[in-house]
Amino acid sequence: MRKMNILAIESSCDETACAIVKDGTEVLSNIVATQIAEHRLYGGVVPEIASRRHAECIYQVAESALAEANCTLNDVDAIAVTYAPGLIGALLVGISFAKGLALSADIPLVPVHHIAGHIAANYISHPDLEPPYLCLVVSGGHSHIVEVLDRTRYRVVGRTHDDAAGECFDKVARTIGYEYPGGKFIDAAAKIGNPDAYKFPHPKVDGCEYDFSFSGLKTAVINLVHNSVQKGQSLVREDVAASFQRTVCEILVGKTMKAAEDLGYKKIALAGGVSANSGVRNSLAEACKKRGYDLYMPDLKYCGDNAAMIGCQGYYDYLAGKRADQTLNGIATLSLEKISEI
Ligand code: KG4
Ligand code: ZN
């Protein structure tokens, strides 16, 4: 079969990213222009700023991706673009750019779901990974336990009722004085701190036993910090970070193992920005080893938002016949199950 090069575009949040991916899993280039420094001034992503920055740099990011892969548009067989979920203005920049390229170069356009892309990051790092498997997806905006039925169909068996795991990391980080996005600072601090220093609650969640709730845990940390300030007591923030991270790991790993056991999965994957967390990686690895499950995790460079994962998923979506035309629009919220019906 002829080799297939995909030019992939990702602009759903605060990274403008383009990649060239060959046959799904061979990453020829992967350029990510991050806006984090600018949003940090405001303690979180400012949607209007995100859209403007995407518009300013997308052309150059795409040019760099082509140059690094030693390609021109003539070598590109399809364009894959994230169309949902995400910040609508941010998504629209990538979508408009992708539509323009597809029209001018007369090549097919493939719409890709951002979370499906995060899951696909695992195929880049582990080309041997074959569905079905169970995937824990933990990012800044989503926390899901997903049955990956095949490369383009999913069943979400657990979801968060409030904050996403990454959001919780970032809010706790801010409470103990780390800059946005604080997940990686918590990760680093947790390596030094004492995970037994504080006992945080495991939230009770009504409904499905694989669902998550992180707002109670976040509030428990905020209350601990406020109480100690009021009493004039000092807290060792590394200890707070370590105790918090340990609790998050227990929740995430506990629910994933329960779902795997109940639903009969022995193949587990991890995806999303929080999959870079060393505590989550280690605890999941330990739990899987204990049960004899195979565990797949993306390389660290493919954990956060990037376009290589979109190019990878775009390839499988292309093979499954998914195409978009010039009417393609961004969708702020769209479940993985909804795209499985298409
Ligand atoms: O998947 P992602 O890059 O963007 C979304 O799609 O939301 O995830 C970003 C999230 C942020 O909340 C960030 O703090 C978190 O991933 N994150 C981490 C780590 N690296 C990134 N959280 C915990 N530990 C890390 N090492
Ligand atoms: Zn993401």
Side-chain angles (χ1 to χ4, degrees):
M1 194 178 138
R2 188 181 169 276
K3 297 280 178 205
M4 172 150 193
N5 287 332
I6 291 195
L7 166 59
I9 298 169
E10 154 65 41
S11 69
S12 66
C13 191
D14 56 356
E15 332 276 357
T16 317
C18 291
I20 307 290
V21 181
K22 188 169 159 186
D23 294 336
T25 54
E26 197 181 328
V27 179
L28 303 185
S29 64
N30 185 32
I31 309 291
V32 181
T34 183
Q35 312 169 353
I36 282 177
E38 198 166 350
H39 295 291
R40 186 167 278 156
L41 298 171
Y42 306 95
V45 177
V46 183
E48 178 62 22
I49 293 177
S51 315
R52 283 168 191 261
R53 293 296 167 265
H54 286 311
E56 281 164 15
C57 68
I58 194 157
Y59 183 88
Q60 275 180 331
V61 172
E63 255 195 342
S64 306
L66 283 167
E68 200 174 299
N70 214 5
C71 286
T72 69
L73 257 191
N74 289 332
D75 303 308
V76 172
D77 303 291
I79 294 175
V81 64
T82 306
Y83 74 112
L87 301 170
I88 199 74
L91 285 168
L92 282 174
V93 175
I95 292 170
S96 308
F97 189 76
K99 287 202 285 195
L101 279 184
L103 185 67
S104 61
D106 193 22
I107 36 186
L109 181 61
V110 183
V112 177
H113 190 283
H114 182 76
I115 301 300
H118 272 302
I119 295 171
N122 280 291
Y123 302 126
I124 302 175
S125 302
H126 309 281
D128 58 316
L129 172 60
E130 286 291 338
Y133 58 90
L134 193 70
C135 188
L136 170 64
V137 182
V138 271
S139 73
H142 298 84
S143 300
H144 287 337
I145 295 177
V146 181
E147 285 184 83
V148 182
L149 307 171
D150 61 34
R151 284 169 199 258
T152 57
R153 285 187 319 121
Y154 315 85
R155 187 181 300 132
V156 179
V157 293
R159 64 199 86 222
T160 181
H161 286 209
D162 37 58
D163 292 353
E167 200 178 348
C168 187
F169 264 98
D170 295 341
K171 287 177 179 167
V172 163
R174 183 160 65 185
T175 306
I176 56 175
Y178 294 110
E179 286 186 317
Y180 173 85
K184 64 173 186 217
F185 299 117
I186 297 257
D187 192 354
K191 289 184 178 142
I192 315 166
N194 173 9
D196 299 319
Y198 303 100
K199 270 251 153 310
F200 292 122
H202 280 220
K204 293 249 174 311
V205 190
D206 289 338
C208 175
E209 58 184 325
Y210 316 130
D211 283 359
F212 302 106
S213 166
F214 289 108
S215 72
L217 176 57
K218 172 192 71 187
T219 308
V221 179
I222 292 172
N223 288 345
L224 171 78
V225 172
H226 286 175
N227 285 340
S228 68
V229 168
Q230 275 167 1
K231 289 180 191 155
Q233 295 166 341
S234 63
L235 280 174
V236 180
R237 67 176 175 171
E238 287 77 9
D239 289 349
V240 179
S243 304
F244 162 75
Q245 184 170 295
R246 195 200 42 200
T247 312
V248 173
C249 291
E250 285 167 358
I251 296 167
L252 293 175
V253 174
K255 301 235 173 204
T256 307
M257 291 300 108
K258 177 83 176 86
E261 201 175 298
D262 292 351
L263 303 167
Y265 285 94
K266 292 189 163 27
K267 227 189 265 183
I268 312 294
L270 178 65
V274 181
S275 65
N277 184 270
S278 58
V280 174
R281 291 175 88 91
N282 292 338
S283 350
L284 201 54
E286 201 178 305
C288 286
K289 191 173 170 206
K290 205 162 107 191
R291 292 165 179 81
Y293 296 168
D294 291 327
L295 174 64
Y296 300 84
M297 301 189 280
D299 289 346
L300 290 180
K301 63 175 181 267
Y302 300 125
C303 289
D305 288 349
N306 67 86
M309 67 185 197
I310 301 303
C312 177
Q313 184 56 37
Y315 176 72
Y316 297 118
D317 285 342
Y318 178 90
L319 294 182
K322 295 195 183 183
R323 301 286 185 276
D325 60 18
Q326 292 292 319
T327 63
L328 180 66
N329 212 340
I331 306 176
T333 312
L334 181 69
S335 85
L336 272 175
E337 280 170 353
K338 201 91 201 133
I339 62 164
S340 304
E341 292 163 11
I342 295 170

